[in-house]
Amino acid sequence: MVCVRFQAPDGAITEARAEAGTSLLTAGQAAGMPLEGTCEGQMACSTCHVIVDPDWFGKLPEASEEEEDMLDLAYGVTRTSRLSCQIALTDELDGMTVKIPSESRDMSGL
């Protein structure tokens, strides 16, 4: 099991546990985190945007061009922003912390 720490907009920390290979989005949703994931992981929205702790960001595979394009539409993007639907949990990510932005922008209905 991989443990991930989610920091909610109010600062509260929730730990989620999921099997390796599970998407960060799925793990967060199972733990009750406010990650909408409107497009169900198809990279057609940015409602699963998270901000990865800088200490963990370098352990992730690089974002695809398509993911970068969707992040351009997200609210409050930082240099360590990612779409949680595109992060597959691995044992190397055990203990990772991500922040959930205070707002999200759903572009799928445009």
Side-chain angles (χ1 to χ4, degrees):
M1 293 293 259
V2 179
C3 179
V4 179
R5 295 167 40 100
F6 289 89
Q7 182 177 352
D10 66 3
I13 301 289
T14 299
E15 287 192 357
R17 296 188 184 281
E19 296 288 332
T22 302
S23 76
L24 183 60
L25 171 62
T26 300
Q29 288 175 329
M33 295 294 91
L35 293 169
E36 203 170 313
T38 302
C39 73
E40 299 178 354
Q42 302 301 309
M43 276 198 299
C45 74
S46 60
T47 60
C48 68
H49 167 225
V50 294
I51 301 167
V52 179
D53 184 283
D55 293 339
W56 291 93
F57 188 74
K59 296 181 181 192
L60 299 174
E62 284 192 36
S64 67
E65 189 173 323
E66 293 84 3
E67 182 179 356
E68 293 285 350
D69 288 346
M70 287 312 307
L71 283 168
D72 287 342
L73 304 174
Y75 177 83
V77 173
T78 72
R79 72 171 187 80
T80 63
S81 287
R82 292 294 303 266
L83 297 179
S84 61
C85 68
Q86 297 303 300
I87 299 173
L89 296 178
T90 64
D91 291 336
E92 185 180 42
L93 299 178
D94 187 49
M96 177 173 66
T97 299
V98 298
K99 292 180 184 177
I100 299 173
S102 59
E103 296 182 44
S104 68
R105 209 176 272 155
D106 182 1
M107 304 302 289
S108 65
L110 296 181

XYZ file of all heavy atoms in Angstrom:
808
model
N 0.836 -1.180 0.000
C 0.000 0.000 0.000
C 0.887 1.251 0.000
O 1.906 1.293 0.660
C -0.896 0.029 1.227
C -1.954 -1.056 1.255
S -3.167 -0.839 -0.028
C -4.489 -0.133 0.871
N 0.412 2.248 -0.736
C 1.110 3.527 -0.817
C 0.292 4.535 -0.013
O -0.928 4.617 -0.163
C 1.247 3.991 -2.285
C 1.954 5.327 -2.367
C 1.973 2.934 -3.121
N 0.960 5.300 0.844
C 0.293 6.325 1.644
C 0.597 7.693 1.045
O 1.752 8.003 0.747
C 0.772 6.263 3.086
S 0.010 7.518 4.143
N -0.446 8.497 0.846
C -0.302 9.851 0.325
C -1.019 10.785 1.287
O -2.099 10.468 1.794
C -0.922 9.977 -1.087
C -0.779 11.384 -1.611
C -0.304 8.987 -2.037
N -0.415 11.935 1.509
C -1.012 12.951 2.384
C -1.598 14.066 1.520
O -0.886 14.646 0.708
C 0.039 13.508 3.339
C 0.572 12.480 4.305
C 1.831 12.956 5.033
N 1.815 14.339 5.424
C 1.546 14.806 6.640
N 1.258 13.962 7.603
N 1.584 16.089 6.902
N -2.879 14.343 1.716
C -3.567 15.422 1.013
C -3.766 16.576 1.992
O -4.287 16.367 3.087
C -4.941 14.969 0.516
C -4.886 14.000 -0.619
C -4.826 12.633 -0.393
C -4.895 14.453 -1.933
C -4.784 11.738 -1.445
C -4.845 13.564 -2.996
C -4.792 12.210 -2.745
N -3.358 17.779 1.575
C -3.616 18.963 2.382
C -4.772 19.711 1.739
O -4.667 20.188 0.609
C -2.388 19.865 2.471
C -2.636 21.074 3.342
C -1.407 21.947 3.497
O -0.319 21.593 3.087
N -1.594 23.102 4.087
N -5.877 19.801 2.454
C -7.076 20.486 1.971
C -6.852 21.998 1.984
O -5.935 22.488 2.643
C -8.269 20.107 2.847
N -7.687 22.743 1.265
C -7.556 24.205 1.251
C -7.564 24.838 2.642
O -6.939 25.866 2.859
C -8.759 24.663 0.425
C -9.029 23.520 -0.487
C -8.730 22.291 0.346
N -8.236 24.204 3.617
C -8.274 24.755 4.976
C -7.065 24.338 5.818
O -6.975 24.668 6.993
C -9.575 24.368 5.683
C -9.698 22.873 5.954
O -8.749 22.102 5.655
O -10.751 22.462 6.485
N -6.141 23.576 5.208
C -4.931 23.152 5.905
C -5.008 21.777 6.538
O -3.998 21.226 6.972
N -6.208 21.208 6.610
C -6.370 19.883 7.204
C -5.642 18.833 6.369
O -5.661 18.885 5.139
C -7.853 19.533 7.307
N -5.013 17.891 7.045
C -4.279 16.815 6.374
C -5.082 15.525 6.473
O -5.572 15.164 7.548
C -2.896 16.594 7.028
C -2.049 17.858 6.975
C -2.181 15.404 6.399
C -1.538 18.231 5.616
N -5.226 14.848 5.345
C -5.870 13.546 5.297
C -4.913 12.570 4.646
O -4.346 12.867 3.596
C -7.170 13.600 4.464
O -8.066 14.523 5.081
C -7.835 12.240 4.368
N -4.711 11.415 5.265
C -3.880 10.385 4.673
C -4.767 9.409 3.915
O -5.818 9.008 4.406
C -3.071 9.643 5.738
C -1.950 10.479 6.293
C -0.974 9.669 7.132
O -1.193 8.454 7.344
O 0.012 10.261 7.582
N -4.310 9.057 2.726
C -5.026 8.082 1.907
C -4.072 6.927 1.607
O -2.879 7.145 1.392
C -5.490 8.726 0.604
N -4.602 5.734 1.584
C -3.807 4.552 1.246
C -4.440 3.881 0.034
O -5.654 3.745 -0.040
C -3.744 3.577 2.416
C -3.041 4.159 3.620
C -2.821 3.121 4.700
N -2.230 3.716 5.884
C -0.952 4.012 6.023
N -0.131 3.767 5.042
N -0.504 4.554 7.130
N -3.578 3.487 -0.893
C -4.073 2.831 -2.108
C -3.006 1.877 -2.623
O -1.820 2.021 -2.307
C -4.415 3.871 -3.174
N -3.422 0.946 -3.416
C -2.498 0.003 -4.045
C -1.632 0.734 -5.057
O -2.097 1.679 -5.716
C -3.275 -1.108 -4.769
C -4.101 -1.995 -3.864
C -3.240 -2.931 -3.033
O -2.131 -3.290 -3.472
O -3.689 -3.302 -1.932
N -0.396 0.295 -5.206
C 0.472 0.817 -6.268
C -0.245 0.630 -7.596
O -0.926 -0.375 -7.814
C 1.812 0.094 -6.260
N -0.120 1.617 -8.473
C -0.792 1.578 -9.770
C -2.089 2.361 -9.795
O -2.586 2.719 -10.856
N -2.653 2.641 -8.616
C -3.869 3.438 -8.517
C -3.530 4.892 -8.838
O -2.459 5.369 -8.484
C -4.437 3.361 -7.080
O -4.682 1.997 -6.757
C -5.711 4.173 -6.930
N -4.430 5.595 -9.501
C -4.165 7.013 -9.768
C -4.322 7.809 -8.482
O -5.101 7.443 -7.588
C -5.102 7.566 -10.846
O -6.395 7.797 -10.322
N -3.577 8.898 -8.392
C -3.685 9.790 -7.250
C -5.116 10.326 -7.135
O -5.646 10.473 -6.032
C -2.676 10.937 -7.389
C -2.599 11.938 -6.253
C -2.226 11.265 -4.933
C -1.602 13.035 -6.593
N -5.763 10.585 -8.266
C -7.152 11.045 -8.270
C -8.055 10.024 -7.581
O -8.839 10.371 -6.694
C -7.637 11.292 -9.699
C -9.133 11.574 -9.874
C -9.549 12.846 -9.145
C -9.496 11.652 -11.349
N -7.951 8.775 -7.957
C -8.791 7.722 -7.374
C -8.543 7.583 -5.883
O -9.489 7.465 -5.096
C -8.539 6.389 -8.103
O -8.869 6.554 -9.491
C -9.365 5.263 -7.522
N -7.273 7.632 -5.482
C -6.935 7.528 -4.058
C -7.530 8.701 -3.279
O -8.083 8.513 -2.195
C -5.422 7.480 -3.886
N -7.427 9.902 -3.847
C -7.977 11.076 -3.182
C -9.484 11.034 -3.067
O -10.057 11.354 -2.019
N -10.140 10.645 -4.139
C -11.606 10.560 -4.109
C -12.070 9.528 -3.086
O -13.038 9.758 -2.365
C -12.150 10.229 -5.493
C -12.039 11.382 -6.471
C -12.473 11.014 -7.877
O -12.337 9.862 -8.309
N -12.976 11.989 -8.608
N -11.366 8.392 -3.010
C -11.735 7.351 -2.049
C -11.586 7.838 -0.612
O -12.296 7.378 0.283
C -10.885 6.100 -2.275
N -10.679 8.802 -0.400
C -10.470 9.365 0.938
C -11.365 10.575 1.199
O -11.247 11.228 2.229
C -9.003 9.762 1.100
N -12.266 10.892 0.252
C -13.208 11.988 0.438
C -12.658 13.361 0.100
O -13.245 14.370 0.487
N -11.561 13.402 -0.631
C -10.968 14.692 -0.997
C -11.791 15.362 -2.092
O -12.372 14.681 -2.941
C -9.530 14.505 -1.491
C -8.568 14.004 -0.438
S -8.303 15.199 0.879
C -9.535 14.785 2.073
N -11.842 16.707 -2.099
C -12.634 17.433 -3.092
C -11.925 17.528 -4.449
O -11.623 18.606 -4.944
C -12.811 18.809 -2.444
C -11.578 18.989 -1.620
C -11.248 17.613 -1.103
N -11.644 16.380 -5.032
C -11.048 16.306 -6.367
C -12.137 15.827 -7.307
O -12.523 14.664 -7.278
C -9.858 15.338 -6.379
C -8.643 15.774 -5.579
C -7.648 14.626 -5.448
C -7.992 16.978 -6.228
N -12.623 16.733 -8.120
C -13.784 16.434 -8.946
C -13.492 15.395 -10.026
O -14.194 14.415 -10.155
C -14.288 17.727 -9.573
C -15.726 17.658 -9.982
C -16.245 19.026 -10.373
O -16.012 19.994 -9.632
O -16.864 19.101 -11.433
N -12.471 15.629 -10.835
C -12.161 14.681 -11.901
C -13.317 14.531 -12.874
O -13.689 13.426 -13.242
N -13.888 15.643 -13.286
C -15.073 15.659 -14.144
C -14.923 14.771 -15.374
O -15.855 14.094 -15.770
C -15.388 17.107 -14.576
O -15.585 17.898 -13.402
C -16.626 17.183 -15.440
N -13.756 14.764 -15.986
C -13.564 14.017 -17.241
C -13.149 12.568 -17.002
O -12.874 11.834 -17.952
C -12.542 14.717 -18.124
S -10.841 14.568 -17.531
N -13.105 12.151 -15.725
C -12.764 10.777 -15.358
C -11.395 10.349 -15.865
O -11.195 9.232 -16.317
C -13.855 9.814 -15.813
C -15.187 10.128 -15.172
C -16.305 9.230 -15.636
O -16.104 8.412 -16.560
O -17.400 9.363 -15.068
N -10.430 11.262 -15.798
C -9.056 10.916 -16.146
C -8.710 10.985 -17.606
O -7.664 10.477 -18.032
N -9.544 11.609 -18.413
C -9.309 11.679 -19.860
C -8.555 12.941 -20.282
O -8.415 13.216 -21.459
C -10.638 11.598 -20.613
C -11.422 10.340 -20.317
C -10.651 9.090 -20.670
O -10.135 8.962 -21.766
N -10.539 8.173 -19.716
N -8.082 13.721 -19.333
C -7.375 14.989 -19.565
C -8.187 15.955 -20.417
O -7.677 16.590 -21.324
C -5.992 14.750 -20.184
C -4.957 14.445 -19.146
S -3.264 14.650 -19.709
C -3.145 13.484 -21.029
N -9.483 16.066 -20.102
C -10.347 17.012 -20.798
C -10.816 18.108 -19.852
O -11.659 18.904 -20.217
C -11.544 16.276 -21.397
N -10.277 18.133 -18.646
C -10.599 19.182 -17.684
C -9.395 19.351 -16.763
O -8.406 18.651 -16.902
C -11.864 18.837 -16.881
S -11.650 17.548 -15.628
N -9.512 20.249 -15.810
C -8.416 20.428 -14.849
C -8.935 20.364 -13.410
O -8.318 20.905 -12.505
C -7.707 21.761 -15.114
O -8.610 22.835 -14.984
N -10.054 19.668 -13.200
C -10.686 19.640 -11.884
C -10.009 18.682 -10.911
O -10.452 18.562 -9.772
C -12.186 19.287 -11.997
O -12.320 18.005 -12.594
C -12.928 20.336 -12.802
N -8.939 18.027 -11.328
C -8.184 17.157 -10.416
C -6.791 17.733 -10.159
O -5.896 17.032 -9.711
C -8.112 15.732 -10.940
S -7.108 15.538 -12.435
N -6.629 19.018 -10.440
C -5.355 19.713 -10.246
C -4.923 19.649 -8.787
O -5.712 19.911 -7.885
C -5.535 21.172 -10.697
C -4.444 22.092 -10.291
N -4.698 23.339 -9.771
C -3.096 21.973 -10.331
C -3.559 23.958 -9.505
N -2.573 23.139 -9.828
N -3.669 19.267 -8.558
C -3.062 19.293 -7.231
C -1.703 19.974 -7.330
O -1.117 20.074 -8.410
C -2.894 17.883 -6.622
C -4.241 17.236 -6.349
C -2.026 16.990 -7.494
N -1.214 20.424 -6.200
C 0.116 21.017 -6.121
C 0.983 20.060 -5.315
O 0.721 19.811 -4.134
C 0.057 22.407 -5.466
C -0.860 23.319 -6.293
C 1.462 22.996 -5.331
C -1.247 24.612 -5.600
N 1.958 19.490 -5.989
C 2.821 18.484 -5.372
C 3.891 19.178 -4.536
O 4.484 20.165 -4.966
C 3.474 17.601 -6.466
C 4.403 16.560 -5.851
C 2.399 16.929 -7.326
N 4.124 18.651 -3.335
C 5.178 19.181 -2.488
C 6.493 19.171 -3.275
O 6.815 18.173 -3.923
C 5.303 18.301 -1.238
C 6.317 18.831 -0.261
O 7.523 18.652 -0.514
O 5.920 19.414 0.756
N 7.244 20.270 -3.260
C 8.480 20.343 -4.051
C 9.465 19.206 -3.774
O 10.187 18.780 -4.677
C 9.085 21.699 -3.650
C 7.925 22.511 -3.199
C 6.961 21.535 -2.557
N 9.483 18.684 -2.545
C 10.390 17.581 -2.225
C 10.027 16.302 -2.958
O 10.855 15.398 -3.102
C 10.398 17.310 -0.715
C 11.014 18.443 0.086
O 11.778 19.247 -0.496
O 10.721 18.534 1.292
N 8.799 16.194 -3.415
C 8.316 14.987 -4.106
C 8.190 15.178 -5.608
O 8.146 14.201 -6.355
C 6.960 14.578 -3.525
C 7.084 14.073 -2.135
C 6.961 14.801 -0.980
C 7.404 12.746 -1.741
N 7.177 13.987 0.104
C 7.443 12.726 -0.338
C 7.641 11.570 -2.451
C 7.723 11.564 0.381
C 7.919 10.413 -1.738
C 7.965 10.422 -0.343
N 8.104 16.410 -6.041
C 7.833 16.685 -7.457
C 8.844 16.006 -8.392
O 8.471 15.454 -9.428
C 7.804 18.202 -7.704
C 7.357 18.584 -9.079
C 6.024 18.491 -9.442
C 8.270 19.028 -10.018
C 5.595 18.833 -10.716
C 7.858 19.378 -11.303
C 6.520 19.282 -11.645
N 10.106 16.026 -8.041
C 11.142 15.438 -8.886
C 11.079 13.921 -9.005
O 11.721 13.342 -9.876
N 10.295 13.281 -8.151
C 10.158 11.826 -8.199
C 9.078 11.384 -9.181
O 8.930 10.194 -9.445
C 9.860 11.271 -6.810
C 11.002 11.525 -5.848
C 10.717 10.952 -4.492
C 11.903 11.260 -3.580
N 11.859 10.533 -2.341
N 8.336 12.351 -9.707
C 7.260 12.031 -10.651
C 7.791 11.993 -12.073
O 8.699 12.749 -12.419
C 6.160 13.099 -10.576
C 5.455 13.268 -9.240
C 4.509 14.455 -9.306
C 4.711 12.004 -8.868
N 7.196 11.162 -12.926
C 7.530 11.233 -14.356
C 7.120 12.610 -14.886
O 6.214 13.244 -14.336
C 6.666 10.141 -15.000
C 6.133 9.318 -13.881
C 6.199 10.143 -12.638
N 7.788 13.073 -15.908
C 7.445 14.373 -16.487
C 6.017 14.375 -17.019
O 5.529 13.363 -17.521
C 8.399 14.721 -17.633
C 9.750 15.180 -17.152
C 10.579 15.789 -18.267
O 10.007 16.463 -19.151
O 11.797 15.582 -18.230
N 5.383 15.535 -16.928
C 4.026 15.694 -17.467
C 4.088 15.660 -18.990
O 5.034 16.171 -19.599
C 3.431 17.013 -16.999
N 3.059 15.081 -19.586
C 2.962 15.071 -21.051
C 2.592 16.461 -21.543
O 2.145 17.317 -20.769
C 1.895 14.073 -21.501
O 0.606 14.533 -21.100
N 2.752 16.679 -22.827
C 2.365 17.963 -23.418
C 0.873 18.210 -23.227
O 0.445 19.337 -22.946
C 2.714 17.979 -24.911
C 2.553 19.328 -25.560
C 3.062 19.358 -26.998
O 4.073 18.718 -27.304
O 2.402 20.043 -27.802
N 0.061 17.143 -23.340
C -1.385 17.274 -23.158
C -1.724 17.688 -21.731
O -2.596 18.529 -21.496
C -2.099 15.956 -23.506
C -2.019 15.581 -24.960
C -0.726 14.834 -25.329
O 0.115 14.539 -24.440
O -0.541 14.553 -26.523
N -1.006 17.115 -20.760
C -1.246 17.494 -19.368
C -0.844 18.948 -19.141
O -1.573 19.703 -18.487
C -0.472 16.581 -18.416
C -0.721 16.915 -16.962
C 0.008 16.008 -15.986
O 0.664 15.037 -16.411
O -0.076 16.292 -14.777
N 0.283 19.352 -19.680
C 0.724 20.751 -19.553
C -0.321 21.700 -20.134
O -0.601 22.754 -19.556
C 2.071 20.963 -20.253
C 3.236 20.237 -19.606
C 3.718 20.881 -18.320
O 3.290 22.016 -17.997
O 4.518 20.252 -17.626
N -0.903 21.317 -21.281
C -1.935 22.153 -21.904
C -3.145 22.301 -20.984
O -3.712 23.392 -20.860
C -2.377 21.580 -23.253
C -1.323 21.735 -24.334
O -0.363 22.515 -24.140
O -1.462 21.068 -25.380
N -3.560 21.219 -20.327
C -4.708 21.287 -19.426
C -4.364 22.088 -18.170
O -5.202 22.829 -17.652
C -5.194 19.891 -19.036
C -5.916 19.139 -20.143
S -7.211 20.060 -21.028
C -8.244 20.667 -19.742
N -3.129 21.976 -17.694
C -2.727 22.755 -16.524
C -2.758 24.246 -16.810
O -2.985 25.047 -15.902
C -1.335 22.327 -16.046
C -1.301 21.014 -15.266
C 0.136 20.541 -15.103
C -1.992 21.158 -13.920
N -2.550 24.621 -18.073
C -2.639 26.034 -18.442
C -4.029 26.604 -18.147
O -4.189 27.806 -17.985
C -2.321 26.242 -19.926
C -0.844 26.084 -20.238
O -0.020 26.150 -19.303
O -0.518 25.899 -21.425
N -5.029 25.745 -18.072
C -6.414 26.166 -17.834
C -6.813 26.082 -16.360
O -7.901 26.520 -15.993
C -7.369 25.296 -18.660
C -7.114 25.272 -20.169
C -8.038 24.264 -20.833
C -7.289 26.653 -20.758
N -5.945 25.512 -15.530
C -6.273 25.309 -14.115
C -6.112 26.598 -13.325
O -5.324 27.475 -13.684
C -5.389 24.208 -13.534
N -6.826 26.686 -12.224
C -6.757 27.834 -11.327
C -5.584 27.651 -10.362
O -5.386 26.576 -9.807
C -8.065 27.937 -10.539
C -8.062 29.052 -9.532
C -8.349 30.354 -9.914
C -7.749 28.811 -8.205
C -8.340 31.392 -9.004
C -7.738 29.841 -7.278
C -8.032 31.125 -7.691
O -8.010 32.142 -6.773
N -4.804 28.697 -10.146
C -3.758 28.677 -9.131
C -2.590 27.762 -9.418
O -2.007 27.181 -8.504
N -2.220 27.623 -10.670
C -1.130 26.723 -11.063
C 0.205 27.231 -10.520
O 0.470 28.430 -10.509
C -1.073 26.597 -12.606
C 0.150 25.816 -13.057
C -2.337 25.940 -13.120
N 1.027 26.289 -10.072
C 2.386 26.582 -9.622
C 3.353 25.723 -10.429
O 2.922 24.873 -11.221
C 2.565 26.264 -8.122
O 2.586 24.845 -7.952
C 1.464 26.892 -7.281
N 4.636 25.894 -10.198
C 5.610 25.097 -10.958
C 5.558 23.616 -10.590
O 6.056 22.775 -11.323
C 7.017 25.656 -10.826
C 7.664 25.455 -9.517
C 9.143 25.835 -9.543
N 9.751 25.467 -8.280
C 10.135 24.234 -7.959
N 10.034 23.262 -8.826
N 10.633 23.982 -6.776
N 4.927 23.264 -9.453
C 4.808 21.852 -9.077
C 3.380 21.330 -9.231
O 3.008 20.345 -8.615
C 5.319 21.605 -7.638
O 4.511 22.328 -6.715
C 6.786 21.999 -7.491
N 2.586 22.002 -10.051
C 1.211 21.565 -10.298
C 1.193 20.347 -11.222
O 1.995 20.245 -12.153
C 0.405 22.686 -10.954
O 0.121 23.696 -10.033
N 0.248 19.449 -10.947
C 0.012 18.284 -11.807
C -1.478 17.961 -11.788
O -2.218 18.403 -10.906
C 0.785 17.056 -11.291
C 2.293 17.147 -11.394
C 2.823 17.175 -12.822
N 2.419 16.024 -13.608
C 3.155 14.914 -13.750
N 4.342 14.823 -13.178
N 2.720 13.913 -14.490
N -1.901 17.161 -12.755
C -3.255 16.611 -12.744
C -3.169 15.275 -12.020
O -2.388 14.390 -12.412
C -3.780 16.419 -14.165
C -3.943 17.683 -14.997
C -4.463 17.324 -16.394
C -4.860 18.690 -14.321
N -3.955 15.120 -10.960
C -3.846 13.905 -10.150
C -4.252 12.644 -10.919
O -3.802 11.553 -10.588
C -4.650 14.037 -8.863
O -6.022 14.236 -9.115
N -5.039 12.804 -11.967
C -5.427 11.636 -12.769
C -4.250 11.068 -13.554
O -4.302 9.927 -14.016
C -6.576 11.976 -13.720
S -6.133 13.119 -15.058
N -3.182 11.846 -13.694
C -2.032 11.426 -14.484
C -0.874 10.913 -13.636
O 0.180 10.574 -14.152
C -1.553 12.587 -15.369
C -2.591 13.030 -16.374
C -3.028 11.890 -17.278
O -2.213 11.309 -17.983
N -4.314 11.560 -17.251
N -1.083 10.814 -12.324
C -0.042 10.317 -11.427
C -0.436 8.929 -10.947
O -1.412 8.767 -10.203
C 0.162 11.250 -10.230
C 0.606 12.636 -10.711
C 1.165 10.659 -9.246
C 0.675 13.682 -9.610
N 0.313 7.926 -11.390
C 0.105 6.557 -10.911
C 0.959 6.371 -9.666
O 2.168 6.645 -9.680
C 0.488 5.547 -11.984
N 0.340 5.940 -8.590
C 1.073 5.754 -7.343
C 2.053 4.589 -7.459
O 1.728 3.557 -8.038
C 0.099 5.517 -6.189
C -0.830 6.683 -5.872
C -1.789 6.309 -4.747
C -0.027 7.923 -5.499
N 3.234 4.802 -6.931
C 4.272 3.768 -6.886
C 4.818 3.723 -5.469
O 4.621 4.657 -4.676
C 5.430 4.096 -7.853
O 6.066 5.306 -7.415
C 4.949 4.253 -9.291
N 5.545 2.653 -5.143
C 6.144 2.548 -3.817
C 7.080 3.722 -3.546
O 7.214 4.160 -2.406
C 6.901 1.221 -3.678
C 5.950 0.028 -3.645
O 4.768 0.205 -3.274
O 6.381 -1.086 -3.993
N 7.724 4.248 -4.591
C 8.633 5.385 -4.440
C 7.893 6.640 -3.962
O 8.504 7.538 -3.384
C 9.346 5.671 -5.762
C 10.384 6.765 -5.657
C 11.092 7.048 -6.970
O 10.429 7.089 -8.019
O 12.316 7.242 -6.933
N 6.583 6.712 -4.197
C 5.791 7.888 -3.807
C 5.161 7.748 -2.427
O 4.393 8.615 -2.000
C 4.719 8.173 -4.857
C 5.243 8.485 -6.268
C 4.088 8.699 -7.231
C 6.181 9.665 -6.251
N 5.473 6.667 -1.726
C 4.919 6.449 -0.392
C 5.309 7.601 0.528
O 6.496 7.893 0.697
C 5.420 5.121 0.183
C 4.732 4.761 1.488
O 3.492 4.823 1.545
O 5.452 4.428 2.447
N 4.323 8.303 1.086
C 4.561 9.437 1.969
C 4.445 10.798 1.290
O 4.568 11.829 1.943
N 4.192 10.813 -0.013
C 4.095 12.068 -0.766
C 2.980 12.955 -0.208
O 1.943 12.470 0.225
C 3.821 11.771 -2.246
C 3.643 13.015 -3.098
S 3.512 12.670 -4.867
C 1.966 11.784 -4.964
N 3.217 14.271 -0.242
C 2.210 15.246 0.160
C 1.823 16.103 -1.035
O 2.695 16.538 -1.793
C 2.757 16.165 1.279
O 3.080 15.358 2.416
C 1.736 17.213 1.678
N 0.524 16.304 -1.211
C 0.007 17.199 -2.250
C -1.016 18.130 -1.629
O -1.697 17.775 -0.673
C -0.630 16.430 -3.439
C 0.387 15.545 -4.131
C -1.829 15.614 -3.003
N -1.093 19.343 -2.163
C -2.085 20.321 -1.724
C -3.209 20.387 -2.743
O -2.966 20.305 -3.944
C -1.450 21.708 -1.595
C -0.457 21.826 -0.478
C 0.107 23.227 -0.427
C 1.179 23.324 0.636
N 1.800 24.654 0.664
N -4.403 20.570 -2.243
C -5.563 20.748 -3.104
C -5.827 22.247 -3.190
O -5.989 22.907 -2.155
C -6.782 19.991 -2.563
C -6.455 18.501 -2.526
C -8.011 20.283 -3.406
C -7.497 17.651 -1.856
N -5.837 22.824 -4.396
C -6.082 24.264 -4.529
C -7.454 24.649 -3.979
O -8.360 23.833 -3.905
C -6.018 24.518 -6.042
C -5.318 23.330 -6.606
C -5.625 22.183 -5.689
N -7.586 25.917 -3.639
C -8.846 26.382 -3.048
C -9.975 26.448 -4.062
O -11.145 26.438 -3.697
C -8.654 27.761 -2.412
O -8.225 28.685 -3.380
N -9.652 26.522 -5.349
C -10.670 26.555 -6.400
C -10.233 25.693 -7.556
O -9.062 25.428 -7.737
C -10.890 27.984 -6.906
C -11.443 28.932 -5.875
C -11.695 30.317 -6.457
O -12.240 30.390 -7.583
O -11.361 31.293 -5.793
N -11.204 25.284 -8.354
C -10.882 24.583 -9.597
C -11.734 25.177 -10.711
O -12.748 25.813 -10.461
C -11.140 23.076 -9.477
O -12.514 22.811 -9.362
N -11.289 24.973 -11.911
C -11.982 25.511 -13.074
C -12.329 24.348 -13.984
O -11.471 23.645 -14.465
C -11.018 26.470 -13.799
C -11.708 27.564 -14.537
C -10.673 28.505 -15.132
N -10.327 29.548 -14.168
C -9.194 30.208 -14.160
N -8.267 29.938 -15.026
N -8.984 31.151 -13.273
N -13.611 24.127 -14.186
C -14.063 23.018 -15.035
C -14.228 23.518 -16.457
O -15.147 24.275 -16.765
C -15.390 22.460 -14.512
C -15.879 21.280 -15.313
O -15.195 20.876 -16.271
O -16.945 20.755 -14.985
N -13.330 23.090 -17.328
C -13.359 23.536 -18.725
C -14.047 22.512 -19.629
O -14.159 22.726 -20.826
C -11.936 23.772 -19.230
C -11.142 24.771 -18.380
S -11.906 26.376 -18.238
C -11.668 27.004 -19.878
N -14.513 21.403 -19.083
C -15.062 20.344 -19.926
C -16.376 20.734 -20.582
O -16.728 20.181 -21.627
C -15.256 19.057 -19.124
O -16.236 19.239 -18.112
N -17.110 21.676 -20.005
C -18.410 22.051 -20.557
C -18.349 23.140 -21.602
O -19.372 23.580 -22.098
N -17.176 23.601 -21.938
C -17.066 24.700 -22.912
C -17.146 24.202 -24.317
O -16.807 23.128 -24.658
C -15.752 25.461 -22.707
C -15.629 26.168 -21.369
C -14.290 26.906 -21.304
C -16.752 27.171 -21.171
